[in-house]
Amino acid sequence: MIKNKIRSAGLRMTPQRMAIVEFLEGNTDHPSAEDIFRAVSKKFPGISIATIYNTLDILRKKGLIEILEVDPERKRCDPNIQPHHHFICKRCKRIHDIFRDIRIDMPEEELRGFRIYGSRIEFFGLCERCQRYTKEPE
């Protein structure tokens, strides 16, 4: 639970931060800051987009969310920090979580002395819904 982790990290919980965290808690849509702003501003009309960005930055620095840069148009938030991969639909831009252990053996000559601690694989294509509307790959 992000809320409990925020409190244990010693962060002050303003009503606006609480609304942002509540929106993110269990959210699997990988929302952008703009998505969060639209949702939270219904309850807090005076909230600024800067408050959203600042809160997301704090949550990221505390390791409570991840920021995904899979969409060139906007960064997306992932409140699920457990190891997992993503499928990104090239048409609708939806991001789907993949909770399967996918291992890739890296040849030693590719590692060049680096030590790998984790990985995240991103798959790109068309989701089932978009395949109905698009015949050819984009």
Side-chain angles (χ1 to χ4, degrees):
M1 297 302 227
I2 296 175
K3 282 187 261 187
N4 297 336
K5 290 179 183 176
I6 286 176
R7 286 191 180 106
S8 65
L11 296 174
R12 195 167 62 92
M13 284 303 291
T14 65
Q16 292 85 357
R17 276 188 186 167
M18 183 65 80
I20 293 166
V21 168
E22 286 174 356
F23 180 79
L24 287 173
E25 194 75 59
N27 189 321
T28 60
D29 291 336
H30 304 86
S32 67
E34 293 79 11
D35 296 331
I36 298 166
F37 176 74
R38 278 191 295 278
V40 173
S41 64
K42 291 175 185 171
K43 186 174 181 181
F44 295 96
I47 195 168
S48 70
I49 190 75
T51 299
I52 305 293
Y53 279 111
N54 291 337
T55 301
L56 294 177
D57 191 48
I58 290 167
L59 295 174
R60 181 193 56 78
K61 285 178 180 174
K62 293 289 184 181
L64 303 176
I65 65 169
E66 288 190 17
I67 302 296
L68 304 178
E69 298 188 35
V70 295
D71 183 346
E73 296 172 19
R74 58 190 178 155
K75 294 178 182 178
R76 310 283 282 275
C77 300
D78 193 346
N80 185 342
I81 58 170
Q82 300 304 312
H84 65 282
H85 310 290
H86 296 104
F87 173 87
I88 300 98
C89 180
K90 298 290 279 180
R91 185 169 187 262
C92 69
K93 307 292 189 219
R94 283 199 176 114
I95 301 172
H96 304 273
D97 292 328
I98 300 172
F99 294 99
R100 183 179 187 102
D101 188 25
I102 302 170
R103 297 195 182 267
I104 298 173
D105 291 324
M106 293 288 290
E108 190 60 41
E109 62 271 9
E110 291 293 324
L111 290 176
R112 296 185 184 111
F114 288 101
R115 184 176 299 152
I116 297 175
Y117 291 108
S119 65
R120 179 173 50 211
I121 299 171
E122 297 165 353
F123 299 93
F124 298 90
L126 295 174
C127 68
E128 186 176 8
R129 190 176 87 188
C130 288
Q131 288 178 53
R132 286 183 242 149
Y133 302 108
T134 306
K135 298 290 185 216
E136 296 294 318
E138 295 179 5

